[in-house]
Amino acid sequence: MKDDAYGQNAAVEVSVEVGKYLDRADHKTENLFHEQRRHWDGREFDEYIIAHECSRSYYEMPEDWLCRKETLREITAALESCTEKQRYRFLLYALEGLRCSQIGNICGCSKSAIMRSIEAVRRKVKCILQTE
């Protein structure tokens, strides 16, 4: 909540994703506050934060997090627009790292058929990402 023009609290609606991010940020702020109270004399606090926070993974900014989620949604939508065979072949190639000839052996078709399927999926994903 934030104060309105009259100094009263006003409710603000946000998406579920933004709400989750804000909850995580509040939790992190609370944890840092408790840690600061633990190091009341201030001697260790800066060193603690550097050692503790640098040992963790990268924390993304809210904008980066939302952009990543939107891009993932767009790629998923592009994959759903493909045929089941195209999607299966593309995922074997992109995620499993198999060569086209290996995928051809698995699917019982030619290497060129696999290459055409993969290229069709790439074109669809590229088209959707460029139009957004």
Side-chain angles (χ1 to χ4, degrees):
M1 292 201 186
K2 68 178 191 175
D3 290 343
D4 62 10
Y6 301 104
Q8 298 176 347
N9 286 334
V12 176
E13 290 187 32
V14 295
S15 69
V16 173
E17 291 173 339
V18 172
K20 287 180 183 178
Y21 178 82
L22 292 173
D23 285 343
R24 284 195 313 230
D26 287 344
H27 183 70
K28 183 115 179 109
T29 301
E30 186 178 321
N31 285 347
L32 288 174
F33 177 72
H34 289 303
E35 194 58 40
Q36 189 175 23
R37 278 192 303 163
R38 233 177 79 196
H39 299 282
W40 59 271
D41 62 358
R43 286 182 296 153
E44 301 175 272
F45 186 62
D46 291 339
E47 292 88 6
Y48 170 80
I49 289 176
I50 292 169
H52 184 70
E53 294 302 317
C54 292
S55 67
R56 292 189 172 199
S57 62
Y58 165 74
Y59 289 101
E60 22 182 24
M61 297 297 293
E63 298 86 6
D64 297 334
W65 183 74
L66 288 173
C67 286
R68 183 176 52 82
K69 295 294 256 182
E70 181 64 20
T71 302
L72 181 60
R73 187 193 64 75
E74 292 168 354
I75 292 171
T76 302
L79 288 174
E80 288 174 355
S81 72
C82 299
T83 66
E84 189 175 334
K85 284 183 182 181
Q86 287 175 331
R87 188 170 44 249
Y88 180 67
R89 293 169 180 178
F90 179 78
L91 293 175
L92 285 175
Y93 179 80
L95 298 181
E96 298 297 325
L98 298 179
R99 294 188 311 271
C100 292
S101 57
Q102 293 172 311
I103 299 169
N105 290 337
I106 292 170
C107 296
C109 61
S110 69
K111 178 180 171 182
S112 60
I114 300 300
M115 289 169 54
R116 284 191 301 273
S117 291
I118 292 169
E119 189 55 37
V121 174
R122 281 184 178 161
R123 280 192 307 270
K124 286 182 181 183
V125 170
K126 188 176 181 180
C127 180
I128 286 178
L129 290 178
Q130 286 178 345
T131 58
E132 295 291 322

